[in-house]
Amino acid sequence: MSKVKKPQQRWVCQACGAVTTGWFGKCPTCDAWNTIEEEVTAPPPGDRPAGPGKVVASTDAQTIVDRQPRRPCGMGEIDRVLGGGLVPGSVVLLGGPPGIGKSTLLLQASVGLARRNGVVLYASGEESVAQVAARCGRLGASHPGLLLMAETRIEEVLSAAQERAKTLAALIVDSVQTVHSGAQDGLPGNISQIRAVTSALVGFAKTHGVPVVVVGHVTKDGQLAGPRLLEHLVDAVLSFEGDEERAIRMLRATKNRYGSTQELGVFEMRGDGLREIANPSEAFITDRDSPAIGSCVTASLEGSRPLLLEVQALLAAAFGNPRRTCVGVDPVRLAMLLAVLDRHAGVFALDQDVFVNAVGGMRLGEPASDLAVLLAVASSHRRQPLPPGLCVFGEVGLTGELRPAPRSDARLSEAARLGMKRVLLPTGPKQHALSARKLKDQLGVDVRLARTVGEALELAFG
């Protein structure tokens, strides 16, 4: 007769998921204070032989993929970020600050899925069915194929999903921190519950081939609440970002096993829900009657999409140590560009406070935006605006040389489409120069090439 295994007790950090031998005031792994709590885990199941796994040749696996195509939700911006739609059997985690519009986004996407692919089960652990239905009415997102459920027990949610597994297009759980498992001790939202709930959802998705979307809360630092294990269990992690003072919302993928993580979806929050912005470049460029000092337009790439963004710089007298305040721009790279301006262009701004902002809440992460930041700072230092209709892009080196940006043809085409009359970019190799001249003839844009920072300043302000 085998002995019955007792439940195991252990101490787990609620911030990073590390397991310790006992209680500590400070977690030895992540250095967080007062985050270690005692948890009781259920005994593991008895030893039994594992069932045989199905082995499929890689040449035959493509037929499985063809039989299970992606499921588009009807919103092009979401499908763009996902890589074309939801993959059957995948688990997607959507995170974002409170009140940013995560539930609104999912309800609108659920209606599109229901219209095109079948039944969608929306399980809410935070609101009642009446509250969710009221939001559906406000958004115009009511559909017979959209089923609503208010439940906090994962067993009940999966039971309802399994009954409709053959016709289920997607299962949405809002949110993973409010749902708990009866087989696991502890309050909803702790490490053990999140792990158990997510594992159950992953098992359901892989077994029945139904895509699952779960909502995750974020902390004050903007990180997904719970351990990093939650991100490792899912197939894709989406981040819904935005500023409460602006109506622009952006959807990014920080992890995607079935597509690129460089794509960007842009939305506008309105009273009747989220509206897709098909031409985001116009939303990020300020429409002025006359050019402004310290403003420069650059062409950035967000995945396969070129965007025109505005960079603003302001220089002011420093009292004490000069400050470098950046919004959407890397402050380390700004310090490098200020040193390059001083050494290779004779523009000394190291003794002044420098403020740089990427308009619209965007982040300029690629080096191709270096030249725009540099010219915006130079414009503010000279107190001279750049010519109207000027777009610049290129990487700046420490020796003062300019390096070409990738996919210049796509950036030039976007600049010409939005009415830019002049484009300044690095000279680069001969093939790059020939391509620029060819596009100049085709698009009717005055393309100017510069080799160094000094030449760029002369061409920009000349």
Side-chain angles (χ1 to χ4, degrees):
M1 183 176 178
S2 60
K3 297 182 179 179
V4 178
K5 296 183 179 180
K6 298 180 179 180
Q8 300 177 354
Q9 294 181 344
R10 59 179 185 174
W11 299 86
V12 182
C13 175
Q14 303 300 307
C16 66
V19 180
T20 62
T21 57
W23 184 86
F24 291 89
K26 181 180 181 181
C27 176
T29 303
C30 66
D31 297 333
W33 287 92
N34 299 323
T35 58
I36 296 180
E37 297 181 2
E38 184 181 11
E39 295 184 357
V40 179
T41 60
D47 297 334
R48 58 180 182 270
K54 184 178 180 181
V55 180
V56 180
S58 59
T59 55
D60 299 333
Q62 185 61 36
T63 59
I64 301 177
V65 177
D66 296 337
R67 291 197 304 265
Q68 297 180 346
R70 290 178 180 264
R71 301 176 182 178
C73 64
M75 299 182 71
E77 296 298 300
I78 300 178
D79 294 335
R80 174 194 295 272
V81 176
L82 289 174
L86 290 172
V87 176
S90 64
V91 181
V92 179
L93 175 63
L94 175 64
I100 200 66
K102 300 185 295 297
S103 300
T104 301
L105 180 69
L106 289 180
L107 280 176
Q108 293 184 228
S110 299
V111 173
L113 282 168
R115 291 171 179 169
R116 291 166 176 80
N117 301 280
V119 177
V120 176
L121 178 59
Y122 188 98
S124 175
E126 300 179 347
E127 298 176 294
S128 64
V129 172
Q131 291 174 322
V132 179
R135 182 184 290 114
C136 288
R138 178 175 61 85
L139 302 175
S142 301
H143 190 271
L146 176 57
L147 307 181
L148 306 179
M149 182 181 186
E151 184 58 62
T152 59
R153 292 171 296 176
I154 191 60
E155 291 82 5
E156 297 295 331
V157 174
L158 293 180
S159 176
Q162 288 171 358
E163 294 178 0
R164 303 164 177 83
K166 293 184 179 180
T167 59
L168 198 61
L171 170 62
I172 298 177
V173 179
D174 184 10
S175 66
V176 70
Q177 275 86 7
T178 59
V179 182
H180 68 279
S181 173
Q184 188 71 44
D185 294 334
L187 296 175
N190 66 16
I191 298 297
S192 299
Q193 287 289 354
I194 291 178
R195 183 186 294 112
V197 170
T198 307
S199 298
L201 292 172
V202 170
F204 169 79
K206 306 305 179 186
T207 302
H208 298 278
V210 176
V212 176
V213 181
V214 294
V215 178
H217 294 167
V218 297
T219 62
K220 295 180 179 179
D221 299 332
Q223 303 294 327
L224 284 167
R228 306 297 290 187
L229 173 66
L230 185 61
E231 299 185 22
H232 298 320
L233 287 175
V234 300
D235 301 306
V237 180
L238 306 183
S239 177
F240 200 43
E241 307 168 355
D243 192 344
E244 294 181 357
E245 299 178 355
R246 299 185 179 94
I248 300 297
R249 302 288 188 268
M250 289 169 287
L251 183 67
R252 302 177 185 269
T254 58
K255 172 186 176 181
N256 192 356
R257 290 175 178 169
Y258 310 112
S260 172
T261 58
Q262 303 300 321
E263 297 292 346
L264 173 70
V266 185
F267 303 85
E268 180 185 5
M269 176 63 76
R270 292 186 171 185
D272 56 350
L274 291 164
R275 183 184 68 89
E276 299 177 86
I277 298 180
N279 189 10
S281 295
E282 295 180 350
F284 296 128
I285 298 180
T286 305
D287 188 13
R288 296 190 180 93
D289 296 332
S290 59
I293 297 176
S295 173
C296 185
V297 176
T298 185
S300 177
L301 277 182
E302 293 291 341
S304 60
R305 167 187 284 178
L307 295 178
L308 294 191
L309 305 175
E310 182 181 355
V311 182
Q312 295 178 349
L314 175 65
L315 273 63
F319 299 93
N321 294 328
R323 292 182 296 170
R324 307 287 180 259
T325 305
C326 301
V327 179
V329 179
D330 185 7
V332 177
R333 204 155 189 88
L334 173 62
M336 181 198 75
L337 295 175
L338 293 176
V340 172
L341 270 175
D342 174 40
R343 179 62 61 90
H344 301 287
V347 179
F348 184 72
L350 297 175
D351 60 342
Q352 301 184 45
D353 291 339
V354 181
F355 307 89
V356 179
N357 174 42
V359 177
M362 294 294 296
R363 296 196 302 263
L364 296 176
E366 60 171 352
S369 61
D370 287 351
L371 187 56
V373 176
L374 185 143
L375 290 179
V377 172
S379 173
S380 180
H381 184 271
R382 293 186 174 191
R383 298 189 179 183
Q384 177 183 355
L386 291 166
L390 174 65
C391 177
V392 304
F393 54 87
E395 181 181 356
V396 177
L398 290 177
T399 58
E401 83 282 1
L402 301 181
R403 298 189 182 95
R407 295 189 60 194
S408 297
D409 53 347
R411 302 173 196 258
L412 283 170
S413 300
E414 181 70 9
R417 190 179 66 85
L418 291 182
M420 293 294 167
K421 302 301 182 182
R422 183 187 304 178
V423 177
L424 176 61
L425 65 157
T427 302
K430 291 183 178 180
Q431 296 82 358
H432 179 74
L434 292 175
S435 177
R437 293 188 180 95
K438 183 179 179 181
L439 288 172
K440 175 182 178 180
D441 298 335
Q442 293 178 350
L443 303 176
V445 178
D446 183 12
V447 180
R448 300 190 177 186
L449 305 177
R451 295 182 180 274
T452 63
V453 172
E455 292 182 10
L457 290 175
E458 293 179 3
L459 292 174
F461 294 97

